[in-house]
Amino acid sequence: MTSIGILGAGRVGANLAGKLSVAGHRVTLGVRNPEDTAAPAAGIAPQIAFADQRTTARTADIVINATPGDSSLDRLVGLRTELSGKLLVDVSNATRDTDDGLPGDLCYPGSSLAEKLQAALPDTRVVKTLNTMLFMVMTAPETLAVPPTAYLSGDDRNAKETVTRLLGDLGWQPGWIEDLGGITTARATEAMVLVVPHVLRRHGFRPFAVSLAS
Ligand SMILES: NC(=O)c1ccc[n+]([C@@H]2O[C@H](COP(=O)([O-])OP(=O)(O)OC[C@H]3O[C@@H](n4cnc5c(N)ncnc54)[C@H](OP(=O)(O)O)[C@@H]3O)[C@@H](O)[C@H]2O)c1
């Protein structure tokens, strides 16, 4: 059992929390208002704890960033002390949105949020994954007609092995997980988000992932 803190209790955070909790991990959801029991994530599983985001980062062994990517750098740098020595799994997308609320452009062209995070948090091991699919696929990859791909980017081999085990707990088979290499490879997977608005406008809001076919 691992102590996992998830920053952000929206669609991604709540979804991951539910499945990781069922898999036997001790999960805390980091929210801005822990007292707000009317929040959508409040009823997902009785064993999931709620705390403010600083407490969540401090008390967890593994921290997952499921907050808006465009503001994540400042937010996570503000948690530098709490994140020191931890594994940070970044599943966010740092985009500027268009008028319809869908991703329109990258916040860090020529780089990536994951690289910025790793540079700003040298005592934290950053792994980028799961940002290349709709949130429901993250915890139910077997439901797609074609096996999806979960890409991994990170400089620390042990950290990526730990994340690979977590992905297994979420239902990912080893053959669906693609370790692309160091953290700089995240600029490729972060750029994949640019395909999302076009797919959603053509096909509506249905599960999909950007998969590697070979
Ligand atoms: N949705 C997807 O299918 C999908 C897929 C891949 C990656 N992602 C990425 O995953 C991240 C979360 O997406 P989502 O769809 O779960 O978003 P969401 O439903 O809007 O949830 C975002 C969460 O972040 C919190 N939050 C918002 N602003 C914050 C701030 N300034 N400080 C701290 N917490 C803040 C929100 O808390 P409050 O409840 O307090 O507002 C909410 O719990 C994003 O970076 C997104 O790009 C999403």
Side-chain angles (χ1 to χ4, degrees):
M1 183 206 282
T2 311
S3 167
I4 300 174
I6 302 177
L7 306 180
R11 291 164 292 186
V12 172
N15 190 42
L16 292 175
K19 187 91 180 245
L20 290 170
S21 176
V22 167
H25 298 291
R26 193 166 61 246
V27 177
T28 302
L29 270 170
V31 294
R32 288 185 284 185
N33 299 305
E35 303 79 24
D36 183 6
T37 50
I44 53 176
Q47 66 274 25
I48 295 172
F50 286 81
D52 63 78
Q53 296 193 341
R54 189 171 298 280
T55 303
T56 300
R58 192 181 66 244
T59 53
D61 297 324
I62 298 174
V63 178
I64 299 177
N65 177 36
T67 63
D70 59 347
S71 55
S72 282
L73 186 56
D74 282 349
R75 183 162 41 257
L76 295 177
V77 167
L79 299 173
R80 182 200 308 264
T81 305
E82 289 78 8
L83 291 171
S84 179
K86 306 277 173 72
L87 197 173
L88 173 65
V89 183
D90 180 37
V91 305
S92 75
N93 278 308
T95 55
R96 298 183 212 293
D97 294 345
T98 49
D99 289 343
D100 58 6
L102 294 174
D105 211 347
L106 301 174
C107 290
Y108 306 108
S111 183
S112 62
L113 172 62
E115 289 168 82
K116 300 274 182 196
L117 287 170
Q118 188 59 85
L121 301 168
D123 298 327
T124 302
R125 297 168 298 153
V126 180
V127 176
K128 187 89 192 189
T129 193
L130 290 179
N131 63 306
T132 54
M133 63 200 71
L134 277 195
F135 68 94
M136 53 286 256
V137 179
M138 297 176 184
T139 55
E142 74 286 354
T143 57
L144 295 189
V146 176
T149 304
Y151 304 96
L152 290 178
S153 302
D155 292 338
D156 189 289
R157 187 178 299 274
N158 290 336
K160 286 190 287 189
E161 285 174 3
T162 301
V163 175
T164 297
R165 285 194 291 277
L166 281 186
L167 290 173
D169 292 339
L170 293 172
W172 288 84
Q173 296 183 17
W176 302 347
I177 299 170
E178 192 71 29
D179 182 351
L180 294 177
I183 199 70
T184 58
T185 64
R187 69 180 65 179
T189 55
E190 290 193 18
M192 289 177 187
V193 73
L194 294 179
V195 81
V196 168
H198 311 300
V199 174
L200 291 182
R201 288 187 193 112
R202 279 180 61 81
H203 298 286
F205 197 79
R206 70 178 194 215
F208 78 94
V210 183
S211 298
L212 190 64
S214 57

